[in-house]
Amino acid sequence: MFDNFPLWPARASTAAGNVDALFIFLLIVSGLMTLLIFSALVYFAARYRHRRGVLAEQIEGSTPLELTWSVIPFLVFLAIFAWGAVVYFKGRTPPRDSTEVYVVAKQWMWKLEHSEGQREINELHVPVGRDVKLIMTSQDVIHSFYVPAFRMKQDVLPGRYTMAWFRATKAGTYHLFCAEYCGTQHSGMIGSIVVMEPAQFEAWMSGGSVGPLSVTGEKIFAELGCATCHRADTAGRGPNLQGVFGKPVRLEDGRTITADENYIRESILDPGAKVVSGFKPVMPTFQGLVSEEQLNALVAYVKSLSQPVAAPTNTAATRPQENSQAAGSQVQ
């Protein structure tokens, strides 16, 4: 219906329909209320206008009428709130198996890196029908990642990560804008989201990769000497990072927080801000020593330490009895 309407952007994500439905509902409610109020204003102005020789009379209030015009708008606003909350939380809660893309905004460009290692500038290639989670930060000032066709807009802030996600439904090229004034060339901070069929996307992904982002982060982790303190055993001066991502972490001050991307980022740049219980604040800051891209790689590496490792192939499958006996002796 709206595809050929020039003032209505294309719908190209699973969230677009819900956002449009809520927006249309708000327009209809606002239009009906405006019409009702205007009609009542004209009627009362004509019906109770001043007439010569007619004295004004005191009109007592009507309790049923006052309850009606209080309860009905309250229910309408409550419905808008509930509907908007559902749309908001769906848009802010990426599925667990989403493909991750790290975004660094700077004056005046978008730098994007897939978890598989492919890097792009002002362009993002994604497949149709796959959930894509954007982990975004700014290198300088506040920016805003805005894709009208996806009905998605998320501020990108310096010093922390913000998240957004989408699932594209139609192949094509869609506009990417910065929706927050960020300097003299703000209007030129534009890009494209290229949505491809899965086969075409896999072919595109097969070329130009420098290796997974987590592998790059592992190299940086070793180069910075992080492995000397963050050891897999209990002898390290820093906490063991194996399996820490997404889990609750108890701090020295008694608080318990979840180890998410922002926690890992802060622990690298300001390690004294949240010290893990049982450890001393001896870690130096890496603020100014690592770039935003290197920081993204380190975060991706720490996250990879919590991903399940595929079980090795059972080479002794032809001897199941022998295998089970060995396993039983190990458990005991």
Side-chain angles (χ1 to χ4, degrees), residues 36-92:
L36 178 62
I37 294 171
F38 182 75
S39 300
L41 181 65
V42 173
Y43 170 76
F44 289 127
R47 176 68 176 81
Y48 299 104
R49 69 187 184 277
H50 173 70
R51 296 186 181 94
R52 288 187 178 182
V54 179
L55 297 178
E57 297 179 6
Q58 179 67 33
I59 300 176
E60 298 295 333
S62 170
T63 301
L65 180 60
E66 291 179 2
L67 288 175
T68 299
W69 71 39
S70 298
V71 172
I72 292 179
F74 171 75
L75 294 177
V76 172
F77 293 146
L78 193 62
I80 293 173
F81 170 79
W83 193 351
V86 170
V87 173
Y88 174 83
F89 285 114
K90 281 186 177 180
R92 292 295 180 269

Side-chain angles (χ1 to χ4, degrees), residues 229-252:
C229 291
H230 295 284
R231 296 169 53 174
D233 53 31
T234 58
R237 294 196 297 168
N240 181 8
L241 301 180
Q242 294 283 343
V244 70
F245 180 78
K247 302 294 177 61
V249 176
R250 185 163 182 81
L251 304 181
E252 192 67 24

Side-chain angles (χ1 to χ4, degrees), residues 34 100 111 117 121 130 147 166 173 215 264 290 296 322:
T34 301
E100 295 184 345
K111 302 169 72 175
I121 293 180
R130 184 180 300 177
V147 185
F166 62 88
T173 302
V215 174
I264 298 172
V290 292
N296 291 340
E322 205 173 296

Side-chain angles (χ1 to χ4, degrees), residues 13-26 78-94 150-154 163-166:
S13 75
T14 53
N18 294 329
V19 174
D20 287 352
L22 177 58
F23 181 66
I24 293 171
F25 178 73
L26 289 171
L78 193 62
I80 293 173
F81 170 79
W83 193 351
V86 170
V87 173
Y88 174 83
F89 285 114
K90 281 186 177 180
R92 292 295 180 269
T93 309
F150 296 167
R151 309 298 191 269
M152 182 192 73
K153 183 167 77 73
Q154 175 61 54
M163 313 291 175
W165 78 278
F166 62 88

Side-chain angles (χ1 to χ4, degrees), residues 7-331:
L7 297 181
W8 199 271
R11 293 179 183 174
S13 75
T14 53
N18 294 329
V19 174
D20 287 352
L22 177 58
F23 181 66
I24 293 171
F25 178 73
L26 289 171
L27 287 179
I28 292 174
V29 170
S30 300
L32 290 177
M33 289 302 299
T34 301
L35 182 61
L36 178 62
I37 294 171
F38 182 75
S39 300
L41 181 65
V42 173
Y43 170 76
F44 289 127
R47 176 68 176 81
Y48 299 104
R49 69 187 184 277
H50 173 70
R51 296 186 181 94
R52 288 187 178 182
V54 179
L55 297 178
E57 297 179 6
Q58 179 67 33
I59 300 176
E60 298 295 333
S62 170
T63 301
L65 180 60
E66 291 179 2
L67 288 175
T68 299
W69 71 39
S70 298
V71 172
I72 292 179
F74 171 75
L75 294 177
V76 172
F77 293 146
L78 193 62
I80 293 173
F81 170 79
W83 193 351
V86 170
V87 173
Y88 174 83
F89 285 114
K90 281 186 177 180
R92 292 295 180 269
T93 309
R96 291 182 178 273
D97 58 347
S98 301
T99 298
E100 295 184 345
V101 176
Y102 288 81
V103 181
V104 177
K106 60 175 296 187
Q107 296 171 315
W108 290 270
M109 69 171 65
W110 300 99
K111 302 169 72 175
L112 307 103
E113 187 167 4
H114 298 254
S115 56
E116 294 83 359
Q118 282 79 359
R119 296 178 179 178
E120 305 187 69
I121 293 180
N122 293 337
E123 198 170 60
L124 174 62
H125 289 75
V126 296
V128 172
R130 184 180 300 177
D131 299 322
V132 179
K133 176 183 176 182
L134 304 175
I135 305 172
M136 303 182 288
T137 189
S138 171
Q139 190 171 311
D140 35 52
V141 299
I142 299 177
H143 301 277
S144 189
F145 194 94
Y146 177 42
V147 185
F150 296 167
R151 309 298 191 269
M152 182 192 73
K153 183 167 77 73
Q154 175 61 54
D155 284 352
V156 184
L157 309 176
R160 58 163 295 181
Y161 287 121
T162 55
M163 313 291 175
W165 78 278
F166 62 88
R167 179 191 293 178
T169 56
K170 293 195 301 185
T173 302
Y174 304 99
H175 293 295
L176 164 63
F177 299 99
C178 177
E180 182 76 27
Y181 181 73
C182 56
T184 55
Q185 297 182 39
H186 161 71
S187 61
M189 191 171 174
I190 56 177
S192 301
I193 308 294
V194 182
V195 181
M196 311 170 73
E197 296 297 337
Q200 295 176 329
F201 177 75
E202 293 301 329
W204 178 85
M205 286 287 285
S206 62
S209 174
V210 295
L213 188 59
S214 59
V215 174
T216 303
E218 184 177 11
K219 295 177 182 177
I220 299 172
F221 191 84
E223 292 171 358
L224 295 176
C226 305
T228 59
C229 291
H230 295 284
R231 296 169 53 174
D233 53 31
T234 58
R237 294 196 297 168
N240 181 8
L241 301 180
Q242 294 283 343
V244 70
F245 180 78
K247 302 294 177 61
V249 176
R250 185 163 182 81
L251 304 181
E252 192 67 24
D253 58 9
R255 291 181 296 160
T256 299
I257 63 171
T258 301
D260 57 7
E261 289 91 351
N262 275 308
Y263 169 74
I264 298 172
R265 176 192 177 92
E266 184 182 37
S267 297
I268 296 172
L269 300 181
D270 187 11
K274 295 181 176 68
V275 180
V276 178
S277 178
F279 294 90
K280 301 296 183 182
V282 296
M283 177 176 168
T285 177
F286 288 89
Q287 182 78 48
L289 300 179
V290 292
S291 64
E292 289 292 345
E293 290 79 7
Q294 291 174 320
L295 194 56
N296 291 340
L298 287 169
V299 171
Y301 170 63
V302 174
K303 291 172 66 175
S304 71
L305 297 177
S306 299
Q307 295 174 355
V309 180
T313 305
N314 188 355
T315 56
T318 56
R319 294 177 293 174
Q321 185 176 2
E322 205 173 296
N323 234 14
S324 60
Q325 290 176 352
S329 64
Q330 289 175 1
V331 171

